[in-house]
Amino acid sequence: MSVLPLVFTSGWASGINAYAVVLLLGIFGRTGLTDEVPASLQRTDVLIVAAVLFLCEAVADKVPYVDSIWDTVHTVIRPVSGAVIGALLAGQSGSLSDITAGAVGGSTALASHFVKAGTRMAINTSPEPFTNVGMSIAEDLGVGAIITFAMFNPEAAAIIAAVLLAAGLALLIFLWTRIRRFLRRRAQRREEKRLASEARAHTTAPPP
């Protein structure tokens, strides 16, 4: 059986929470639930690092504006993780070339990352923090459920991931106006801080 459905699903999940994907795949491999997970993802040091970073993301992902900063930092990390995981899964099964699997996993992770980051920007236009917490919990639970389901039925899990990705992209297009408003406000705040800093420096400067 081709590993492509699992590569696609893990790529989608990596764009949302790459550390959770590494942690779950490693645990599934260590417990013998699946033979698709390569030994490199089952190493104890890899699992420890993934668990620590997952906890860091679990906190940062629930704080307004901090979550968007975290997403910005992970614009490269998540797609690269999706590509590496896909290539490793393909190398383990031998049913798909590493380059193809890396391209599928990386591109899918990039798309789902943009959906997540854009949605968070739209959510951050609201002053209350409860939506951020709820969305973060829903994303973590969704990633865990989809990856777990993919271990037993990879084709169905890939279909679900594809539907969620398409729905997320459609929602992102719908929310684009709100996102642009958020970006303008953030740029305005930065400009106001810069002007205030220059004004303070000017008032505290000694007279000539």
Side-chain angles (χ1 to χ4, degrees):
M1 183 180 297
S2 173
V3 76
L4 182 59
L6 182 57
V7 169
F8 180 86
T9 303
S10 64
W12 170 83
S14 295
I16 299 174
N17 193 326
Y19 306 124
V21 175
V22 174
L23 184 61
L24 286 171
L25 290 178
I27 291 175
F28 291 149
R30 287 284 289 267
T31 56
L33 184 62
T34 178
D35 296 328
E36 299 286 351
V37 180
S40 56
L41 293 179
Q42 302 179 38
R43 290 169 40 184
T44 301
D45 56 340
V46 172
L47 294 178
I48 292 174
V49 172
V52 171
L53 292 175
F54 170 75
L55 292 176
C56 293
E57 177 152 337
V59 175
D61 213 31
K62 294 175 177 61
V63 182
Y65 298 106
V66 174
D67 56 355
S68 289
I69 295 174
W70 185 269
D71 287 337
T72 300
V73 173
H74 284 74
T75 301
V76 175
I77 296 175
R78 287 169 181 160
V80 170
S81 298
V84 171
I85 292 172
L88 289 174
L89 291 173
Q92 177 74 6
S93 69
S95 61
L96 185 69
S97 72
D98 296 357
I99 296 178
T100 302
V104 172
S107 59
T108 306
L110 181 62
S112 62
H113 164 75
F114 280 139
V115 170
K116 173 176 180 173
T119 303
R120 288 308 181 88
M121 286 184 181
I123 291 175
N124 282 331
T125 61
S126 174
E128 47 80 24
F130 305 107
T131 307
N132 300 72
V133 175
M135 181 62 71
S136 177
I137 294 175
E139 289 170 348
D140 292 342
L141 293 177
V143 167
I146 291 296
I147 291 297
T148 302
F149 184 52
M151 296 296 99
F152 302 97
N153 200 327
E155 290 82 4
I159 293 173
I160 295 173
V163 171
L164 291 174
L165 180 59
L169 290 172
L171 178 63
L172 187 61
I173 294 173
F174 176 76
L175 294 175
W176 179 242
T177 301
R178 194 170 185 177
I179 295 171
R180 285 192 301 175
R181 189 184 307 121
F182 166 76
L183 294 175
R184 285 198 299 267
R185 288 177 179 175
R186 187 169 64 175
Q188 184 178 1
R189 283 194 298 270
R190 289 178 178 175
E191 182 65 16
E192 290 173 352
K193 290 181 179 179
R194 185 185 67 82
L195 293 176
S197 177
E198 292 179 354
R200 286 194 300 269
H202 179 72
T203 56
T204 57

